[in-house]
Amino acid sequence: MKVAISGIGIMAEGLPDWESARRVLRGEIPYEKQPLRTACPGGLGANEARRCPLPARCAIDAGLQALAMGPYAPSMVATVFSSASGDLDIADRNCRGLVAPAPALSPTLFHNSVHNAPAGYWGVATGAQTRSISLSAFDDSFGAGLLEALTTVTVAGEAALYVAYDMVPPPAFARVRTVAAPFAVALVLAPAGTPGCAVMEASWVPARVPETRMGDASLEDLRRHNPAARSLPLLDALARGGRASIGLGCGGETGLCLTIE
Amino acid sequence: MRQADLAVGPYTLTCALGSGLRAVREAIRTGRSGLRPYTSAQVSCYAGAVDGLEQVAWSGPWARWDCRNNRLALAALEADGFAQAVAVLRSRLGSERIGCVMGTSTSGIGATEAAYRDMRARGAEALPAQFPYRETHNIHAVGHFVHSWLRLKGPALTVSTACSSSAKVFGVAARLIASGTCAAVVVGGVDSLCDTTIHGFASLQLLSGRPARPFAADRDGISVGEAGGFAIIAPRGLMDGAVLGLRGTGESSDAYHMTAPHPAAAGALSAMAQALRAAQWTVADVDYIHLHGTGTPLNDAAEDLALVSMGADKVAASSLKGALGHTLGAAGIAGVVFTAEAMAAGLVPATTNTDCIDPAVRSAIAVAAQRRPLRRALVNAFGFGGSNSVLALALLP
């Protein structure tokens, strides 16, 4: 499956946009963790802006960055959202409400608890009525979502915005789920032959492939401890330019082999 | 999306009406409802619960996977010989050539609800280290479980787009096959009753205190149900004896509101029009529309408006949410199985529990079952976040 990459977005601590991330990945500036800077996405009404949870804000920010690099408006792309664990902060608040002496759930927290909440806010914020999917493959969610985005582009011939995100779980989940730092990444994939920043060839293989790791220890730590940050070796190759091969887990005992040119 | 010549092979459904296709066929014939009174932490309503899930505790290597959602998945896999049909396919095609794409809205979050009750009783602040989050609560727990249980080695992922989840899986499967990644895909959806959804819909005032009555003048909300269903999707050439084809899929987003449907039903309309285009049909070709028909005043009015706007208001249509409840992430696969069986029987199923159609509704909602040939049908599934999915199914000649 061959596609053009026509936009990249990122939202992580110390990596607030693609330009900063590119310089960090090229070794031009050191990687330093900074507090996450997410603005509330434009296009949302006052009530929706207030209700919009952190994963959706990070996902929308990264998605808009990626589209801004290329020729596609939100109304021109299908969207694929992947997240291993969705919004555990909301699951925590809902479960606390449900086990209280007078059980109660907030209507906002309930509708924000759906795994496709970021996709829903994306639609409301951008007005895009294109098709959208939200999925999980646990720690292989980045690879599985990329496979879905790749088949969307190569089979349906449409450009696709792919956004992967995972957030730090609340303290109640600390012993059962580790995500060390928040991370959201977005890629715009377009049919091969479309102008873009790189060409990516991908093949799915029915076996675990050796995962490409990061040379920098703190970035490798980030990659290992956030499923969306499994995208870092791909981002690293895109930042450096030139030819590179990358291995990714893709759900079950399967993998994706990527070649970037 | 235009499909290659894809067949829907063996399929199954377990829901409040019972286990497997026998219960589905009987419900289509009789219009029986499986909804019963249900109480969940101070909320009283009607729900479509599956019997027998409390009676089996899992041990050994599967103990960590034990939760209501995975129990429901397993009960559904064992019905109608579905797991055996997958085993036969596995030996023919090779396990690495078969993908597994499941849909769910809440997976096994009921396990976390129970663990929070326990935390509260013990005065603890955090889930214990041995709590099997990955195998129960996580969205992909159900996809991972089904993939492992069926011993498949193709791609595995779980779609979670609220109530359109297990309709979207058909589109994912079609793309995996068309791209050459898979020879066949096991699709399905599993969603089980939990406090989060019962209380959540109650908080939005979308839960009826009586059994759901889709499109009725006095409809006042949904009844939540639980279901697990599966189907095998493969090119027709690989599916000897298949009688049903997947002719097209249509998907769209409302881009309007997190819970309320678009007032002009733009998203529903667009998804239905896309499915028709993909199938190369016009409205006149469609014999039956399996409606999402949840039973809330707004949802049913919007879906009716979509049918009227596309000139489909004379096409026989019905909703089964009064029979098995709104099975959320399993609603898409439940709709496909009911539609497939309705087509096989040549019977438009009744809109169970609805006696008197809202005079404002203009579509041809079936109140009683109608015998007629059903060769081509649409299945609608719409969800929170404005997520719409429509499937075009045809009897194979």
Side-chain angles (χ1 to χ4, degrees), chain A residues 131 150-159, chain B residues 1 175:
Chain A
R131 71 190 174 83
L150 285 161
T151 63
T152 295
V153 176
T154 56
V155 174
E158 302 167 15
Chain B
M1 186 176 68
R175 287 185 285 276

Side-chain angles (χ1 to χ4, degrees), chain A:
Chain A
M1 290 175 277
K2 197 171 185 178
V3 297
I5 296 180
S6 80
I8 308 156
I10 186 168
M11 176 51 65
E13 293 173 345
L15 304 167
D17 54 57
W18 174 236
E19 192 44 43
S20 325
R22 205 174 74 93
R23 295 183 62 204
V24 169
L25 293 167
R26 289 166 67 92
E28 293 164 11
I29 51 173
Y31 169 51
E32 285 173 20
K33 280 198 175 184
Q34 302 282 341
L36 208 59
R37 293 197 318 246
T38 58
C40 215
L44 293 178
N47 280 341
E48 269 137 355
R50 182 170 46 77
R51 293 171 187 155
C52 185
L54 182 66
R57 279 187 278 143
C58 292
I60 293 172
D61 193 308
L64 289 174
Q65 287 177 40
L67 284 179
M69 282 176 68
Y72 298 103
S75 62
M76 297 160 74
V77 291
T79 56
V80 177
F81 290 83
S82 82
S83 175
S85 296
D87 198 331
L88 288 178
D89 184 49
I90 287 187
D92 172 63
R93 290 158 74 187
N94 282 342
C95 288
R96 280 181 199 285
L98 288 170
V99 303
L105 212 63
S106 126
T108 300
L109 287 180
F110 177 55
H111 74 57
N112 279 353
S113 74
V114 295
H115 195 68
N116 61 319
Y121 281 102
W122 171 265
V124 177
T126 64
Q129 295 184 324
T130 47
R131 71 190 174 83
S132 178
I133 201 157
S134 301
L135 60 88
S136 170
F138 200 59
D139 281 347
D140 290 326
S141 292
F142 178 73
L146 186 58
L147 177 62
E148 164 64 9
L150 285 161
T151 63
T152 295
V153 176
T154 56
V155 174
E158 302 167 15
L161 170 67
Y162 175 40
V163 184
Y165 61 91
D166 263 294
M167 301 291 130
V168 178
F173 282 77
R175 281 182 284 180
V176 301
R177 180 64 178 148
T178 305
V179 174
F183 197 94
V185 59
L187 298 169
V188 181
L189 306 183
T194 316
C197 23
V199 172
M200 178 165 72
E201 177 116 44
S203 56
W204 176 86
V205 288
R208 278 270 160 204
V209 296
E211 287 207 321
T212 308
R213 296 175 182 195
M214 297 299 289
D216 178 280
S218 50
L219 289 171
E220 173 59 13
D221 199 49
L222 182 58
R223 186 193 74 85
R224 286 166 54 96
H225 294 109
N226 184 314
R230 304 286 157 93
S231 58
L232 275 168
L234 171 58
L235 298 179
D236 189 64
L238 293 169
R240 289 170 197 274
R243 196 183 157 85
S245 295
I246 295 140
L248 267 179
C250 190
E253 296 291 307
T254 79
L256 270 180
C257 298
L258 309 176
T259 309
I260 303 294
E261 281 181 81

Side-chain angles (χ1 to χ4, degrees), chain A residues 84-85 92 99 101 105 107 110 115-116 123 128-136 138 148 172-173 176 204 206 254, chain B residues 96 116-117 120 127-128 133-134 138 140 153 155 158 160-161 168 172 175 179 196 200 203 251 253-255 259 384:
Chain A
S85 296
D92 172 63
V99 303
L105 212 63
F110 177 55
H115 195 68
N116 61 319
Q129 295 184 324
T130 47
R131 71 190 174 83
S132 178
I133 201 157
S134 301
L135 60 88
S136 170
F138 200 59
E148 164 64 9
F173 282 77
V176 301
W204 176 86
T254 79
Chain B
E96 67 285 345
Y116 268 64
R117 275 192 289 278
R120 191 179 166 84
L127 292 164
Y133 162 75
R134 176 183 187 167
N138 183 260
H140 185 49
K153 290 184 177 157
T158 303
S160 189
T161 54
K168 295 250 181 199
V172 177
R175 287 185 285 276
S179 66
T196 300
S203 76
E251 296 177 56
S253 305
D254 276 1
T259 58
F384 274 7

